[in-house]
């Protein structure tokens, strides 16, 4: 029987993780694949997470809380979870943020990513307030590092389309060939890095239309589109990871991306104050030095 492995990196998000696990259990069926859940504790919430794992086991799912490693970041945390899931025989690794909920479909649909081949990466879907269902994809400007939604002109050398990091399906052979996520990225840009490396290795991206996921966004990190509401953690790590991304993949464009970050620091100063601007500058410098 096939196995779907789900990696959840928890950082002070036990309530969200519990709600996600309940939504996972609600979308499993006795005739579906086996399900294994790795709850990776990047904080210190083991006492709150163990009962959540027990709830999963009560629904016939395999679950483990992995703890004791400290806050290693999102990419490294998912790699820790994925390694355990692969040991359990997972055919597909599904990375889910704690602040996501499965709102449509059955977990057996996760195996649809394998229809694109042994080596494949899959995006789930979501439905907006207007009732329009779209694949969960993002787009990155390959000169400035600004992220947004894909559009008709996203193709070409200017923009990179990637699977949104809060819900990524990766076949076992693809995960192993990619060697997982790049752990230089503590927060943000790990999915863009994955997209660049996948494209270079010829690993295709497919849309799994049978799975719908809702994402609240910024539950633990304070990642908000509202600059006044955005956390200093987000300002810092988004800037740091942006520089690391361009250093790794688009070195000749790094000066442009760095200049764009400094312009963004100016905007942050005007909108959100000196703390936000300082976090952007510090993150940019840290990324250039990393």
């Amino acid at each position: 029987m096939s196995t779907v492995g789900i990696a959840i990196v928890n950082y002070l998000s036990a309530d969200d993780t519990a709600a996600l696990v309940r939504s996972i259990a609600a979308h499993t069926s006795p005739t579906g694949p086996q399900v294994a859940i790795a709850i990776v504790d990047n904080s210190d919430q083991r006492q709150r997470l163990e009962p959540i794992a027990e709830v999963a086991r009560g629904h016939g799912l395999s679950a483990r809380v992995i703890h004791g490693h400290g806050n290693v970041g999102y990419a490294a945390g998912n790699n820790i979870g994925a390694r355990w899931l692969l040991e359990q025989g997972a055919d597909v690794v599904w990375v889910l943020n704690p602040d996501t909920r499965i709102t449509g479909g059955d977990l057996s649909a996760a195996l649809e990513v394998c229809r694109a081949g042994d080596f494949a990466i899959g995006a789930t879907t979501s439905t907006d307030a207007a009732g329009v269902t779209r694949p969960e994809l993002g787009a990155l400007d390959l000169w400035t590092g600004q992220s947004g939604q894909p559009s008709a002109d996203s193709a070409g050398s200017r923009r990179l389309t990637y699977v949104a990091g809060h819900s990524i399906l990766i076949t076992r052979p693809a995960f192993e060939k990619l060697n997982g996520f790049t752990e230089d990225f503590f927060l943000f840009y790990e999915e863009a890095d994955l997209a660049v490396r996948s494209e270079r290795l010829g690993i295709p991206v497919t849309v799994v239309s049978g799975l719908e996921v809702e994402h609240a966004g910024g539950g633990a990190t304070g990642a908000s589109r509202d600059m006044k509401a955005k956390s200093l953690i987000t300002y810092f790590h988004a800037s740091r990871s942006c520089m690391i991304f361009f250093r790794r993949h688009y070195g000749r464009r790094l000066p442009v991306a760095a200049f764009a970050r400094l312009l963004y620091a100016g905007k942050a100063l005007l909108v959100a104050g000196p703390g936000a601007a300082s976090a952007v500058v510090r993150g940019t410098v840290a990324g250039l030095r990393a």
Side-chain angles (χ1 to χ4, degrees):
M1 179 178 289
S2 299
T3 299
V4 175
I6 300 175
I8 306 169
V9 175
N10 176 88
Y11 179 74
L12 302 176
S13 305
D15 290 340
D16 270 335
T17 298
L20 171 56
V21 169
R22 287 194 295 269
S23 82
I24 292 169
H27 287 83
T28 59
S29 68
T31 59
Q34 294 181 342
V35 178
I37 304 174
I39 303 173
V40 182
D41 186 14
N42 268 9
S43 45
D44 188 18
Q45 294 192 306
R46 183 186 179 190
Q47 290 185 338
R48 296 184 62 188
L49 296 174
E50 289 290 359
I52 298 170
E54 191 58 38
V55 168
R57 296 184 197 109
H59 284 84
L61 314 179
S62 174
R64 179 187 175 189
V65 176
I66 304 173
H67 61 92
H69 50 270
N71 187 5
V72 295
Y74 189 68
N78 278 309
N79 285 345
I80 289 171
R83 283 194 288 269
W84 181 77
L85 293 170
L86 295 177
E87 289 173 1
Q88 308 312 300
D91 300 284
V92 172
V93 173
W94 188 5
V95 170
L96 283 171
N97 272 18
D99 58 358
T100 58
R101 306 288 181 267
I102 301 173
T103 55
D106 185 276
L107 259 68
S108 59
L111 297 171
E112 290 180 13
V113 67
C114 299
R115 294 181 182 177
D118 291 339
F119 300 89
I121 294 177
T124 54
T125 65
S126 65
T127 300
D128 62 22
V132 178
T133 300
R134 294 187 176 91
E136 288 282 78
L137 300 170
L140 187 74
D141 189 305
L142 292 177
W143 284 96
T144 67
Q146 182 178 4
S147 60
Q149 296 299 311
S151 59
D153 61 350
S154 289
S157 61
R158 176 80 191 194
R159 291 170 70 83
L160 169 74
T161 299
Y162 57 85
V163 177
H166 59 263
S167 178
I168 306 178
L169 293 156
I170 311 176
T171 64
R172 180 190 188 101
F175 194 93
E176 292 174 338
K177 189 171 185 178
L178 288 160
N179 197 27
F181 293 93
T182 301
E183 297 185 5
D184 290 347
F185 299 96
F186 190 84
L187 278 174
F188 309 114
Y189 284 82
E190 62 281 314
E191 68 267 63
D193 169 79
L194 191 76
V196 172
R197 294 189 292 123
S198 299
E199 184 176 343
R200 291 173 180 171
L201 291 171
I203 298 174
V205 171
T206 187
V207 176
V208 178
S209 57
L211 276 177
E212 190 169 314
V213 173
E214 180 182 279
H215 180 223
T221 63
S224 170
R225 293 190 180 278
D226 182 349
M227 293 184 70
K228 291 183 179 180
K230 191 173 295 187
S231 71
L232 298 184
I233 290 173
T234 294
Y235 278 118
F236 177 86
H237 281 292
S239 301
R240 178 184 180 274
S241 293
C242 179
M243 295 300 98
I244 292 173
F245 175 82
F246 277 91
R247 283 180 55 199
R248 288 180 62 91
H249 300 300
Y250 299 94
R252 292 183 179 180
R253 302 180 184 184
L254 180 61
V256 178
F259 181 67
R261 274 284 134 180
L262 295 179
L263 291 177
Y264 183 66
K267 182 178 179 180
L269 176 63
L270 293 174
V271 175
S278 174
V280 173
V281 172
R282 289 187 289 106
T284 301
V285 173
L288 291 171
R289 291 178 173 175

